[in-house]
Amino acid sequence: MSTVKFTEDHEWVLIDGDVATIGITNYAQEQLGDVVFVELPEVGREVAKGDEAAVVESVKAASEVYAPVTGEIVEINDALDETPAKVNEDAQGAGWFVKMKLSNTGELEELMDEAAYNTFTAGLD
């Protein structure tokens, strides 16, 4: 069974076993506007929670995407090289950024569930 968690930095984390798929939320992509470039890390790189894991450039700004958990990058979404607009089209699906093998599943407890994230973002507008 998979579970989706969220961060206050507007990343989503789909947990499936010990692998987490990570991207930015619909809220984040709406705030960024049209995404024109995504810089992804190399497969095999170890990242700690809070480290920069990717960079997103849009027509409005460039933003860092921080790793919401600690682990090893095991896969990147190569499709974003050719079509970064996938982030706008399906941020919480085909627009995922990286897959990480989790090294500390306890960090997942610090993330929000969907209801808590929706309440969090409602307070931002």
Side-chain angles (χ1 to χ4, degrees):
M1 185 173 151
S2 59
T3 305
V4 180
K5 299 279 193 166
F6 299 87
T7 72
E8 290 186 358
D9 292 325
H10 308 290
E11 290 100 8
W12 59 267
V13 182
L14 172 67
I15 302 120
D16 189 9
D18 65 347
V19 175
T21 304
I22 297 164
I24 63 171
T25 64
N26 281 321
Y27 180 87
Q29 68 86 16
E30 287 172 5
Q31 298 300 310
L32 286 168
D34 293 337
V35 173
V36 295
F37 180 75
V38 178
E39 181 182 327
L40 298 173
E42 292 183 19
V43 171
R45 184 175 143 205
E46 297 279 343
V47 292
K49 179 182 174 183
D51 285 354
E52 182 182 302
V55 176
V56 180
E57 292 183 25
S58 71
V59 293
K60 292 182 180 176
S63 298
E64 292 80 20
V65 177
Y66 299 104
V69 289
T70 300
E72 177 187 354
I73 306 293
V74 294
E75 187 177 347
I76 60 172
N77 189 352
D78 289 325
L80 297 181
D81 281 343
E82 295 289 322
T83 52
K86 281 186 182 287
V87 175
N88 295 113
E89 295 165 3
D90 191 11
Q92 293 179 215
W96 62 274
F97 287 7
V98 299
K99 293 187 180 187
M100 294 175 60
K101 184 171 183 177
L102 300 170
S103 60
N104 181 358
T105 56
E107 292 173 340
L108 298 171
E109 299 301 319
E110 301 167 19
L111 303 176
M112 293 181 274
D113 64 17
E114 186 171 7
Y117 180 73
N118 289 338
T119 300
F120 171 72
T121 57
L124 300 176
D125 295 328

